[in-house]
Amino acid sequence: MKKLFMLFTALTVIMLSATAFAANEQEALTDGADITVIRRMALAEPLYNPMKDGPSLADVSQAVYDAAALTKVYVISYGDIAANIKRDTDVDIRPLNHRQAMKVFRLCVPKYVDAYVVPTIANNNRKTVFFDVYQIKTDALLYRYQLTADKHAEDSYMTYKALSEQFFKRFDRAIENQKRRKAIEAEKQAKLDLLLADPEKRAEYEKKSEEEKQKALDKEEKRQAREAKEKAEQEAAARQEQKRAQARAEKKRRKAEERAQAAALKDQERAEQAARREQERAEKAALKTQANPILETQADPSPSAAA
């Protein structure tokens, strides 16, 4: 039984691992948005309607906050923001309905952070979470990340924590990517400024024909198209690898289940064999007990019979 329990435990771990990583995702950075300046970010109250036997709103909010430990950005929980607002304005947003609370939250949050994120959970047949990061002063959407869990994912704290961890990892990556792009653009601009600082080179640059400028523009468009194609190929490869990972996890799950069933069947067979052997020993003992009085009578006849 201990071996059977261990097999079932391993099967559960495999299924949870597949749930944590098998998901569909979409990412969007608003044109002109600068997320590299974000150092502190507030966590707004999630838009979430608890399902029957599912985690509470407080549990989901805690799951998102616990996942924030992975990000390099300093994240302040909704409870701490609410406590700060209560301290500074004497307004407690926690008992308010979501609409009223968000109105006060948006008004006061610029004092504490550079941006805030609103998790929205669509808890249908598959759990989809939207993470929307907003600019504090204009409430303009800066960044959105959408993640759909595997269809076997449970409606639990651990599922929402795993999905939130994926968001924070991807958000950090988006910040680093934008930093690299800004560094490349700054380097190009520095080279151009250096070129234009030389009067002769500046004159040569300004004499370039429109045809040459158009060629340069075409070259840039081709470069961007090539990068877009490479990105699409990388995303396709990532999706393919994800499918293979799901297939491997499913194969492992089936094998673990088959081993568990085989082990259970063997245990049952051993138990039945032991029961049959015990029953046979009991029957033999009973027959032996019944035969002993008869043998004793034949071996030692009574006095009256001897007379």
Side-chain angles (χ1 to χ4, degrees):
M1 290 302 291
K2 183 177 180 181
K3 181 179 179 182
L4 183 61
F5 174 76
M6 292 176 65
L7 286 172
F8 277 121
T9 302
L11 176 61
T12 302
V13 170
I14 291 171
M15 293 183 68
L16 286 175
S17 298
T19 298
F21 295 101
N24 300 320
E25 57 183 357
Q26 295 180 14
E27 181 183 32
L29 178 64
T30 304
D31 291 340
D34 186 1
I35 58 176
T36 64
V37 298
I38 298 176
R39 299 289 182 271
R40 296 165 63 87
M41 184 164 64
L43 176 62
E45 184 180 46
L47 278 168
Y48 168 71
N49 290 320
M51 304 292 286
K52 184 180 179 181
D53 300 327
S56 65
L57 176 60
D59 288 339
V60 171
S61 184
Q62 187 65 43
V64 180
Y65 179 65
D66 290 344
L70 296 180
T71 182
K72 297 176 182 178
V73 177
Y74 182 76
V75 178
I76 303 177
S77 69
Y78 180 73
D80 287 342
I81 289 292
N84 289 341
I85 294 174
K86 177 73 166 59
R87 179 196 64 207
D88 297 338
T89 67
D90 201 30
V91 176
D92 189 358
I93 64 174
R94 281 167 288 199
L96 302 178
N97 63 48
H98 185 83
R99 187 173 181 179
Q100 293 174 328
M102 280 303 297
K103 186 175 181 180
V104 179
F105 178 91
R106 290 191 180 101
L107 184 65
C108 298
V109 77
K111 182 177 179 180
Y112 313 112
V113 293
D114 306 312
Y116 65 91
V117 57
V118 181
T120 302
I121 296 159
N123 202 346
N124 299 318
N125 56 339
R126 296 183 67 180
K127 294 153 192 66
T128 299
V129 185
F130 301 86
F131 296 93
D132 294 323
V133 179
Y134 291 94
Q135 207 272 344
I136 54 171
K137 294 182 180 179
T138 63
D139 280 335
L141 179 64
L142 301 175
Y143 174 87
R144 164 172 283 191
Y145 183 67
Q146 174 185 340
L147 192 64
T148 301
D150 182 84
K151 62 182 179 180
H152 300 298
E154 295 181 352
D155 189 16
S156 67
Y157 162 90
M158 291 304 299
T159 294
Y160 293 114
K161 183 182 178 185
L163 296 175
S164 301
E165 287 175 345
Q166 289 292 97
F167 157 67
F168 285 113
K169 290 178 184 177
R170 184 53 66 97
F171 186 63
D172 276 2
R173 193 182 310 168
I175 292 175
E176 293 302 319
N177 289 340
Q178 190 175 51
K179 284 181 179 179
R180 283 193 291 269
R181 288 194 296 269
K182 289 175 69 174
I184 292 171
E185 292 300 323
E187 184 180 359
K188 288 181 179 179
Q189 187 61 44
K191 289 180 179 179
L192 180 58
D193 293 341
L194 183 62
L195 173 67
L196 298 180
D198 187 329
E200 292 183 2
K201 291 182 178 180
R202 183 184 183 94
E204 182 181 348
Y205 175 80
E206 291 176 347
K207 287 180 181 178
K208 283 187 176 181
S209 65
E210 290 298 325
E211 182 179 353
E212 290 175 327
K213 293 179 180 179
Q214 185 60 45
K215 286 181 180 179
L217 181 61
D218 293 342
K219 184 178 179 180
E220 178 63 19
E221 289 178 349
K222 288 180 180 179
R223 184 191 66 79
Q224 292 179 358
R226 185 171 60 254
E227 288 182 352
K229 182 179 178 182
E230 291 174 354
K231 182 180 179 181
E233 290 174 351
Q234 291 173 357
E235 290 176 349
R239 288 194 295 270
Q240 191 65 28
E241 178 59 29
Q242 185 181 68
K243 290 180 180 178
R244 287 194 290 266
Q246 286 181 284
R248 288 194 296 268
E250 179 63 20
K251 186 177 180 180
K252 288 181 181 179
R253 185 192 66 78
R254 288 198 301 268
K255 286 185 177 180
E257 187 176 25
E258 290 171 359
R259 287 196 295 269
Q261 291 175 350
L265 183 60
K266 286 183 179 179
D267 289 344
Q268 184 178 357
E269 290 176 353
R270 292 193 191 99
E272 291 176 351
Q273 290 174 359
R276 286 195 297 269
R277 287 194 295 268
E278 185 63 28
Q279 184 177 1
E280 289 172 358
R281 284 196 295 268
E283 290 175 351
K284 287 180 180 179
L287 290 173
K288 187 175 180 180
T289 302
Q290 293 175 359
N292 282 340
I294 298 174
L295 293 174
E296 291 174 357
T297 302
Q298 293 176 348
D300 186 18
S302 64
S304 57

